[in-house]
Amino acid sequence: KCDIEASAPNVTLSLDIPTNGPPLQDIMVHHCVTSVDPAMLLSSSAEPLDDSMYSGPYNFPFIPPSDSFNLCYYTSQV
């Protein structure tokens, strides 16, 4: 939940993963996210892990709703 005093502020969350870490997969974002790199959403755990997978940066620009919300869901190979 975001408690921000401005009305309809634009906020960007940047998600960093270690340089040797596996890319995120199966990313689903909340409808409040205003834009996202389409390549980021195409990385799927159903595909083999290879160099063509999206490896960042992971930026989520959004206008936070007034109630609690989950910004995104994802999986990752370990």
Side-chain angles (χ1 to χ4, degrees), residues 45-57:
S45 60
E47 301 168 359
L49 189 62
D50 60 28
D51 292 339
S52 67
M53 295 196 72
Y54 187 86
S55 59

Side-chain angles (χ1 to χ4, degrees), residues 10-44:
N10 287 315
V11 178
T12 298
L13 175 95
S14 297
L15 181 60
D16 294 321
I17 59 173
T19 53
N20 62 344
L24 304 180
Q25 299 167 303
D26 306 318
I27 299 173
M28 295 186 325
V29 297
H30 189 274
H31 61 83
C32 70
V33 175
T34 55
S35 67
V36 68
D37 188 327
M40 183 169 64
L41 299 177
L42 294 176
S43 295
S44 169

Side-chain angles (χ1 to χ4, degrees), residues 24-30 60 69-75:
L24 304 180
Q25 299 167 303
D26 306 318
I27 299 173
M28 295 186 325
V29 297
H30 189 274
F60 300 93
F69 66 102
N70 292 315
L71 183 64
C72 68
Y73 294 95
Y74 60 87
T75 60

